[in-house]
Amino acid sequence: MRRIAIGQAGGPTVVINSTLVGLVKQLKDEYELRFIEDGFEGLVDEKYKVDHEETIDWIIQQEDRAGACLGSGRYHMTAEDIHAVIQFLKRENISTLIFIGGNGTMEALYKIHLEAEKQDYDLQIIGLPKTVDNDLYHTDHAPGFGSSAKYVAHSTRDLSYDLQSMKNFEQVRIIETMGRNAGWLAAASGYLKKKEFEGPHYIALPERKLCEKGLTRAVKNAVDQFGYAVVVVSEGVQWQNGSQIERAVVNGRTVLGGISDEIADYLRGKLHLTVRAESLGINQRCATSLVSSIDKKEAYLVGEVGAKWVGQNLNNVVATIQRTSEENYNVEIKPVPIKDVANSGERLMPDEFIDNLDKYYEWLSPLIEDIE
Amino acid sequence: MRRIAIGQAGGPTVVINSTLVGLVKQLKDEYELRFIEDGFEGLVDEKYKVDHEETIDWIIQQEDRAGACLGSGRYHMTAEDIHAVIQFLKRENISTLIFIGGNGTMEALYKIHLEAEKQDYDLQIIGLPKTVDNDLYHTDHAPGFGSSAKYVAHSTRDLSYDLQSMKNFEQVRIIETMGRNAGWLAAASGYLKKKEFEGPHYIALPERKLCEKGLTRAVKNAVDQFGYAVVVVSEGVQWQNGSQIERAVVNGRTVLGGISDEIADYLRGKLHLTVRAESLGINQRCATSLVSSIDKKEAYLVGEVGAKWVGQNLNNVVATIQRTSEENYNVEIKPVPIKDVANSGERLMPDEFIDNLDKYYEWLSPLIEDIE
């Protein structure tokens, strides 16, 4: 019986466990499974669960909860680590490695592939996508993004109505979203806006430098017209004459955050209004109350299709989501070489969406609307 | 036809519009209505909408959205303001004043009553309760609290599972809740905790001073046992040797907030772990995705019953919620003198709940669970 190692890595999404469950349900009767704990750190430390029936049952029961149930985390593997990983896989007779993750994960998988070749070890590798930032190339969108976009859109609408009713107490609210260097999530904040008076009145995306004058003008206009202003800013935004704001550096990875506080300080000084910075925080990637049903379905499907590829001996591929028609929303899961995804870097929002948010919202609609 | 003025005041809840709709649907055919905009500031400034059919229809359509649809805000009325309010009500032939609000609102209504007596104006006053902090006396609980408690409980569970999967990257998360000087909301964070390893591992309530040693020990224990620790802290908490942390003072009102950052700094220095402060923010009072259905129903009921009291000539009363039995959850809406509510101050959590959270969760359960 072939033996497969399975892991989850990077920041969790609210549907990352659906991908795992879709995968495991397909594989469990035909293969021996090893569940790597805590992502690549666990792979290096050889920490795993074997596929006892209780473990399989337990995993299947975790589908609806937040977090990555195997443990994910962030860990930067050294060349030495990767060498040891291949030794471990050989020793354990593991012929297939499947990881669910984002850009960092795909880069790591590609390095593992190169090392396996070097050590002449015949290793099948499959990458399954997840990211709330939607910054993976070669896939129309990644599982996890739709639910987070739904969360950002709902929160912005609710926070906007809340602020409107409190405008004699507080006039400006700066909502900070996730997204790293890509604006997909921040831009989703306007998806539910139906009327001009509703927020957001200004959206700052990391793809464009933040212009102080434009921001001030937009806020002043909204306050003059409606009595209040809602600004949405992505964590990766930088001022025209500034750099990104780092909340912390952990294990060599920069955690962005804090630009909303800077904007609040700036506007307070400039306009003498009450301004509050409001970070949407980690809830963006873990709120089980706002899961998009289509996102969940696709997350599951990606796992299921990835599992089928094991038997078909597809190798070094990422399971990507491709739309099949412009008319009715429908998708196919297609293999793309891991190398291509790993080498493409972060996928930013294209100009055609940034310059025409309505076009973006049309694209986004099927990922958020709960159609069923 | 008697003329009634209706307003909303203070921080909105996610069901404050249900109370308004319950009220308006009962009153609209029998009375002339005046809808005060932006709370007491609008009352002083004589800003109101008349009850054209479109206005009534519009209000009824706002039931499911966040914020107070008439505008609420915070405004401190001077003695002069209150004098002018009675003049305005007289001039407009308004014989009944109904406001939906919390402690500050009930105090303001009581002052208006005293001024009406002084000016010998026969004014009927009815207060309808709302507060996410649940710090109103003489009512079992206030509309708005159940939904916010549900939000805090869900968020804490989700954030806990998220952190668990990221424990090799981040070990401690400090979740800050609303509540002002009362711990009801913060304590609700543990409602969904089913297993020892799940967060919260420590809850700090404003009713008790925060002990550095106890906090550090609890966090260290959780990290040792489970690899991570979730702390929940109410915005009103103070260190054993410190004072409350003020985010800002607006219109003379202190906005609390920031204790989670202090705790994060403290624990970072003490334990050398990665610690992140996470404020649940304004979403606690406006997230339409986590409305408790029983809370919404009771909010509506409070409005409906308040409307009936107009014809029954009840005066200077607050519509309070009383449980009718210990066995099966059921409530009655009963009048309590506004004076009693206004003079009782903030209702803190009783010791019997603080010392026995399971008992509190039993009490809380019908307000959160969506039974229907």
Side-chain angles (χ1 to χ4, degrees):
Chain A
M1 225 186 218
R2 270 167 74 181
R3 200 174 274 176
I4 303 175
I6 296 169
Q8 298 173 306
T13 76
V14 78
V15 297
I16 190 172
N17 294 329
S18 290
T19 301
L20 181 67
V21 171
L23 180 69
V24 167
K25 278 192 180 167
Q26 278 290 318
L27 295 175
K28 70 184 171 60
D29 299 327
E30 282 184 74
Y31 302 94
E32 271 183 38
L33 307 179
R34 296 292 177 265
F35 300 107
I36 308 296
E37 298 179 73
D38 297 329
F40 290 106
E41 186 175 37
L43 187 63
V44 171
D45 293 345
E46 307 182 8
K47 266 172 58 189
Y48 60 87
K49 288 188 174 86
V50 292
D51 55 356
H52 297 306
E53 215 180 304
E54 314 87 84
T55 305
I56 300 281
D57 288 348
W58 177 83
I59 287 173
I60 291 170
Q61 285 160 20
Q62 307 308 306
E63 187 175 350
D64 295 330
R65 64 123 159 127
C69 70
L70 301 178
S72 55
R74 302 188 195 283
Y75 183 80
H76 182 76
M77 289 187 292
T78 62
E80 212 173 293
D81 285 339
I82 296 173
H83 184 269
V85 163
I86 302 297
Q87 296 288 316
F88 160 66
L89 297 174
K90 270 187 190 171
R91 194 181 343 114
E92 293 291 322
N93 272 319
I94 291 168
S95 60
T96 300
L97 179 67
I98 305 178
F99 255 81
I100 308 166
N103 275 313
T105 301
M106 299 311 159
E107 286 165 30
L109 288 179
Y110 185 57
K111 286 180 190 164
I112 291 173
H113 157 70
L114 293 177
E115 178 64 26
E117 276 197 330
K118 212 167 119 189
Q119 294 192 33
D120 209 19
Y121 186 59
D122 196 9
L123 179 67
Q124 182 187 36
I125 301 183
I126 294 171
L128 302 178
K130 73 87 210 152
T131 167
V132 299
D133 301 333
N134 205 35
D135 58 355
L136 270 175
Y137 268 108
H138 302 287
T139 185
D140 179 77
H141 56 279
F145 169 67
S147 296
S148 291
K150 187 176 171 182
Y151 185 88
V152 169
H154 275 258
S155 295
T156 305
R157 190 195 50 189
D158 291 347
L159 287 167
S160 170
Y161 272 111
D162 178 277
L163 178 61
Q164 189 196 23
S165 57
M166 292 297 279
K167 61 187 184 296
N168 66 5
F169 185 72
E170 181 190 334
Q171 293 78 45
V172 187
R173 200 165 275 171
I174 318 293
I175 300 173
E176 183 170 321
T177 73
M178 290 182 168
R180 291 192 64 81
N181 298 304
W184 302 95
L185 267 188
S189 63
Y191 177 74
L192 292 172
K193 176 172 173 148
K194 296 276 176 283
K195 291 171 185 155
E196 211 197 337
F197 74 83
E198 295 175 339
H201 306 104
Y202 189 87
I203 302 176
L205 304 177
E207 285 83 356
R208 303 280 162 88
K209 296 257 185 170
L210 178 57
C211 161
E212 292 165 16
K213 271 195 188 158
L215 167 73
T216 310
R217 200 184 310 119
V219 169
K220 217 183 149 307
N221 279 349
V223 172
D224 288 348
Q225 264 189 283
F226 315 122
Y228 74 108
V230 174
V231 173
V232 173
V233 57
S234 173
E235 61 181 2
V237 163
Q238 16 188 327
W239 294 102
Q240 217 152 28
N241 303 311
S243 51
Q244 280 182 328
I245 304 180
E246 302 177 2
R247 181 196 288 271
V249 179
V250 186
N251 302 353
R253 181 182 168 101
T254 301
V255 181
L256 298 172
I259 180 75
S260 56
D261 289 315
E262 284 209 359
I263 292 178
D265 283 343
Y266 173 78
L267 290 174
R268 231 177 262 126
K270 202 84 185 172
L271 299 173
H272 308 288
L273 297 168
T274 303
V275 186
R276 185 186 170 114
E278 185 81 19
S279 169
L280 294 185
I282 300 289
N283 267 332
Q284 287 167 91
R285 73 179 189 206
C286 71
T288 52
S289 55
L290 278 169
V291 173
S292 150
S293 63
I294 190 82
D295 186 29
K296 195 177 181 81
K297 209 198 251 171
E298 290 178 352
Y300 188 94
L301 182 65
V302 153
E304 206 174 41
V305 171
K308 286 179 187 154
W309 292 351
V310 173
Q312 296 165 9
N313 293 314
L314 268 71
N315 195 4
N316 293 311
V317 288
V318 179
T320 66
I321 299 175
Q322 309 295 341
R323 300 196 192 209
T324 51
S325 115
E326 288 282 315
E327 299 299 300
N328 301 310
Y329 182 75
N330 215 338
V331 300
E332 264 177 30
I333 309 303
K334 289 193 176 163
V336 167
I338 290 183
K339 184 182 175 178
D340 294 353
V341 177
N343 287 344
S344 296
E346 290 169 315
R347 175 197 185 200
L348 306 185
M349 262 187 94
D351 288 346
E352 56 162 344
F353 283 163
I354 295 177
D355 298 331
N356 184 353
L357 283 178
D358 284 338
K359 199 170 172 192
Y360 171 55
Y361 296 145
E362 218 173 282
W363 175 90
L364 182 62
S365 171
L367 317 188
I368 290 193
E369 295 286 4
D370 286 345
I371 307 159
E372 337 175 67
Chain B
M1 226 187 217
R2 270 168 73 182
R3 199 174 274 177
I4 303 176
I6 296 169
Q8 298 173 307
T13 75
V14 78
V15 297
I16 191 172
N17 293 329
S18 290
T19 301
L20 181 67
V21 172
L23 181 69
V24 167
K25 278 192 180 168
Q26 278 291 318
L27 295 176
K28 69 185 172 60
D29 298 328
E30 282 184 73
Y31 301 94
E32 271 184 38
L33 306 179
R34 295 291 178 267
F35 300 106
I36 308 296
E37 298 179 73
D38 298 329
F40 290 106
E41 186 174 36
L43 187 63
V44 171
D45 293 346
E46 308 182 7
K47 267 172 59 189
Y48 60 87
K49 289 189 173 86
V50 291
D51 54 356
H52 297 307
E53 213 180 305
E54 314 88 82
T55 305
I56 300 282
D57 288 349
W58 177 84
I59 287 173
I60 291 169
Q61 285 160 20
Q62 308 307 306
E63 186 175 351
D64 295 329
R65 65 127 158 123
C69 71
L70 300 178
S72 55
R74 302 190 194 282
Y75 182 79
H76 182 76
M77 290 187 293
T78 61
E80 212 172 294
D81 285 340
I82 297 173
H83 184 268
V85 163
I86 302 298
Q87 297 288 316
F88 160 66
L89 297 174
K90 272 186 189 171
R91 195 182 340 116
E92 293 291 323
N93 272 320
I94 292 168
S95 60
T96 301
L97 178 67
I98 304 177
F99 255 81
I100 308 167
N103 275 313
T105 300
M106 301 311 159
E107 285 166 30
L109 289 179
Y110 185 58
K111 285 181 192 164
I112 290 173
H113 157 69
L114 293 178
E115 178 64 26
E117 277 198 329
K118 211 165 119 187
Q119 295 192 33
D120 208 19
Y121 186 59
D122 194 10
L123 180 66
Q124 180 187 37
I125 300 183
I126 294 170
L128 303 176
K130 72 87 209 153
T131 167
V132 299
D133 301 332
N134 205 36
D135 58 355
L136 270 175
Y137 268 107
H138 302 286
T139 185
D140 179 77
H141 56 278
F145 168 66
S147 296
S148 291
K150 186 175 172 183
Y151 185 87
V152 169
H154 275 258
S155 295
T156 305
R157 189 194 52 190
D158 291 348
L159 287 166
S160 170
Y161 272 111
D162 178 277
L163 178 61
Q164 188 195 24
S165 58
M166 292 298 279
K167 62 187 185 295
N168 66 6
F169 185 72
E170 181 190 334
Q171 294 78 45
V172 187
R173 200 164 275 171
I174 318 293
I175 300 173
E176 183 170 321
T177 73
M178 290 183 169
R180 293 192 62 81
N181 298 304
W184 302 94
L185 267 186
S189 63
Y191 178 74
L192 292 171
K193 177 171 173 148
K194 295 276 178 284
K195 292 174 184 151
E196 211 198 336
F197 74 83
E198 296 175 339
H201 306 104
Y202 190 87
I203 303 177
L205 304 178
E207 285 83 356
R208 304 280 162 90
K209 296 256 185 171
L210 179 57
C211 161
E212 291 165 16
K213 271 195 187 158
L215 167 73
T216 310
R217 201 183 310 121
V219 169
K220 218 182 149 307
N221 279 350
V223 172
D224 287 348
Q225 264 189 283
F226 316 122
Y228 73 108
V230 174
V231 173
V232 172
V233 57
S234 173
E235 61 181 0
V237 163
Q238 14 185 330
W239 294 103
Q240 217 151 29
N241 303 311
S243 50
Q244 282 183 328
I245 304 180
E246 301 177 3
R247 181 196 288 272
V249 179
V250 185
N251 300 353
R253 181 182 167 101
T254 301
V255 181
L256 298 172
I259 180 74
S260 56
D261 289 316
E262 284 208 357
I263 293 178
D265 284 344
Y266 172 78
L267 289 173
R268 230 177 263 126
K270 201 85 185 168
L271 299 174
H272 308 289
L273 297 168
T274 302
V275 186
R276 185 185 171 114
E278 185 82 19
S279 169
L280 293 185
I282 300 289
N283 268 331
Q284 287 167 92
R285 72 179 189 205
C286 71
T288 51
S289 55
L290 278 169
V291 173
S292 150
S293 63
I294 191 82
D295 186 29
K296 195 178 181 82
K297 210 197 250 172
E298 290 178 351
Y300 188 94
L301 182 65
V302 153
E304 208 174 39
V305 171
K308 286 179 188 154
W309 292 351
V310 172
Q312 295 166 10
N313 293 314
L314 267 70
N315 196 4
N316 294 311
V317 289
V318 178
T320 67
I321 299 175
Q322 310 296 341
R323 300 198 192 207
T324 51
S325 116
E326 287 284 314
E327 299 298 299
N328 300 309
Y329 182 76
N330 214 340
V331 299
E332 262 177 31
I333 309 303
K334 290 192 176 164
V336 167
I338 290 183
K339 184 183 176 180
D340 293 354
V341 176
N343 287 343
S344 296
E346 290 169 316
R347 176 196 185 200
L348 306 185
M349 261 186 97
D351 288 347
E352 55 162 336
F353 282 164
I354 295 178
D355 296 331
N356 184 354
L357 283 178
D358 283 339
K359 199 171 171 192
Y360 172 54
Y361 295 145
E362 218 173 283
W363 175 89
L364 182 63
S365 170
L367 317 188
I368 290 193
E369 295 287 2
D370 286 346
I371 306 160
E372 340 175 65

